[in-house]
Amino acid sequence: MTSLIDPYSRQIDYLRLAVTDRCNLRCVYCMPPEGVPHLRHEDILTYEEIVRFLRIAVQAGISKVRLTGGEPLVRKDLDYLIREISALRPDVDISLTTNGILLAQQAEGLAAAGLKRVNVSIDSLDPDTYRRITRTGDLAKALAGVEAALDAGLEPVKINVVVLEHLYDELEGFADLIRRLPVHVRFIEYMSPCGVFDSSYYVSAEEVKNRLAAFGKLESSEPPVGAGPARYFSLPGTRGKMGFISPVSSHFCPECNRLRLTADGKMRPCLFSQDEDDMREILRGSGDDAPVLEAIRLSLSKKPRDHGGFTEPSGRKMSQIGG
Ligand code: SAM
Ligand code: SF4
């Protein structure tokens, strides 16, 4: 295996792959109520195209692949894709970010196919608040998905929580969750450039951390597998940890190791830059792998040093990029 190094000497080994732009929820911070215009079916990369792209990317140095969306579990036969990725190289670290609504039915099959771990996005543990934030979601289904992921042996299971003001009333509930279950809760700062709200909804992860101190002393802690940019802490008597992801207040660009591929095959070297390279056209244009590899390297060469302080809109919403 070779390696992918960007112009700032960062080694890039992580690909976030959006398998669809469709979603069964309409989270208030991520989408307008009517959703976002859907890509046409023929514009979305087929599983065969994704696997071909990944074969080339894995040979070039990608060793971690996160499936995301939209909601990845609404795309049919995701277990098939996971099995095909595992067959490329068994040690590829395959993970999933999902809202969990369809996870209870799928967790076992996904784990059997080679999925290693999962992040489930649950912003509230109060059924009414959860429904208000997701506009349509049933909290019981998402929590059943978490239980099913644990039963299927997916490890670790992390809960993603976007930090908005409602959260102050919920910290006790999340502290209780990691007392009851071996899951890690990660508080993620709201990123306005690819969200629906403006930045006035932003609350810093540090503020949440300070308020969590009311539930016991937070001790700095070893991160679980695949921690990425999160800083982790443990609370007394808990089975899981609390993580804080602060892309806004203390950005982690110097350690960034990721590239992104959208469902329609656009490679984005940075979540917050509008730069995109069209991999779909290249994949559909020729059976030769060399131009695909060249395009990956070209995209990498455009990876910016940092997100530049969020001065520019990101061009697409989070559900269209994959978070
Ligand atoms: N549908 C899946 C889910 O919700 O987990 C995967 C896609 S979603 C775009 C990926 C992650 O991005 C979720 O954890 C979601 O909460 C988060 N997210 C969406 N919009 C965001 C924003 N503007 N700022 C911060 N996080 C955001
Ligand atoms: Fe869908 Fe995930 Fe966006 Fe919520 S955050 S609307 S679940 S893509």
Side-chain angles (χ1 to χ4, degrees), residues 21-31 68-72 97-100 121 123 133-134 162 318-320:
D21 62 329
R22 299 184 183 224
C23 189
N24 47 356
L25 298 182
R26 293 280 178 274
C27 300
V28 288
Y29 53 79
C30 178
M31 283 201 196
T68 175
E71 171 49 41
T97 298
T98 170
N99 59 36
S121 305
D123 297 317
I133 293 176
T134 58
V162 174
M318 204 67 126
S319 63
Q320 299 167 306

Side-chain angles (χ1 to χ4, degrees), residues 9-278:
S9 306
R10 293 171 295 197
Q11 183 169 352
I12 308 302
D13 59 2
Y14 177 25
L15 181 77
R16 294 184 66 100
L17 178 79
V19 295
T20 180
D21 62 329
R22 299 184 183 224
C23 189
N24 47 356
L25 298 182
R26 293 280 178 274
C27 300
V28 288
Y29 53 79
C30 178
M31 283 201 196
E34 66 282 9
V36 289
H38 283 154
L39 293 168
R40 294 177 313 166
H41 183 70
E42 59 270 32
D43 289 337
I44 298 211
L45 291 185
T46 64
Y47 282 163
E48 285 63 33
E49 287 164 344
I50 291 175
V51 172
R52 176 169 169 230
F53 175 83
L54 283 176
R55 180 172 51 71
I56 298 164
V58 165
Q59 276 166 7
I62 294 295
S63 58
K64 305 179 190 77
V65 177
R66 176 167 295 277
L67 305 174
T68 175
E71 171 49 41
L73 297 186
V74 302
R75 182 149 178 188
K76 266 178 71 184
D77 303 326
L78 197 67
D79 57 334
Y80 166 81
L81 177 64
I82 292 173
R83 201 164 281 112
E84 292 291 302
I85 302 172
S86 301
L88 290 175
R89 242 197 29 221
D91 61 339
V92 174
D93 176 20
I94 309 170
S95 57
L96 172 76
T97 298
T98 170
N99 59 36
I101 296 292
L102 299 172
L103 189 57
Q105 301 95 294
Q106 297 191 35
E108 207 179 311
L110 297 172
L115 182 69
K116 305 256 187 333
R117 50 205 177 82
V118 64
N119 293 358
V120 186
S121 305
I122 300 180
D123 297 317
S124 169
L125 294 172
D126 173 77
D128 294 333
T129 312
Y130 179 85
R131 181 169 292 268
R132 190 167 51 73
I133 293 176
T134 58
R135 291 201 179 94
T136 56
D138 178 353
L139 176 64
K141 287 190 179 154
L143 291 174
V146 171
E147 298 271 1
L150 291 168
D151 289 347
L154 294 170
E155 160 74 36
V157 174
K158 299 177 193 155
I159 310 295
N160 283 353
V161 185
V162 174
V163 176
L164 297 170
E165 274 181 6
H166 77 279
L167 195 61
Y168 293 148
D169 301 329
E170 300 242 3
L171 294 179
E172 190 167 6
F174 281 108
D176 188 48
L177 184 73
I178 63 169
R179 277 191 199 101
R180 286 188 292 112
L181 297 178
V183 298
H184 308 294
V185 170
R186 307 173 340 140
F187 298 105
I188 305 174
E189 288 178 348
Y190 170 65
M191 293 172 263
S192 55
C194 37
V196 172
F197 304 144
D198 63 25
S199 54
S200 62
Y201 284 80
Y202 165 77
V203 175
S204 79
E206 193 61 24
E207 174 68 19
V208 173
K209 185 165 154 274
N210 292 341
R211 292 196 184 212
L212 267 170
F215 304 101
K217 189 167 170 356
L218 283 166
E219 300 274 7
S220 185
S221 171
E222 273 297 297
V225 174
R231 292 170 301 133
Y232 278 88
F233 297 83
S234 58
L235 270 175
T238 56
R239 302 169 73 187
K241 304 177 190 204
M242 293 287 187
F244 300 89
I245 305 185
S246 318
V248 184
S249 63
S250 104
H251 70 82
F252 34 77
C253 306
E255 287 91 49
C256 185
N257 63 343
R258 45 187 78 179
L259 288 173
R260 294 178 161 79
L261 191 67
T262 63
D264 55 346
K266 305 286 189 299
M267 176 137 259
R268 286 179 76 106
C270 173
L271 179 57
F272 302 105
S273 101
Q274 296 197 31
D275 239 322
E276 293 186 341
D277 285 290
D278 191 350

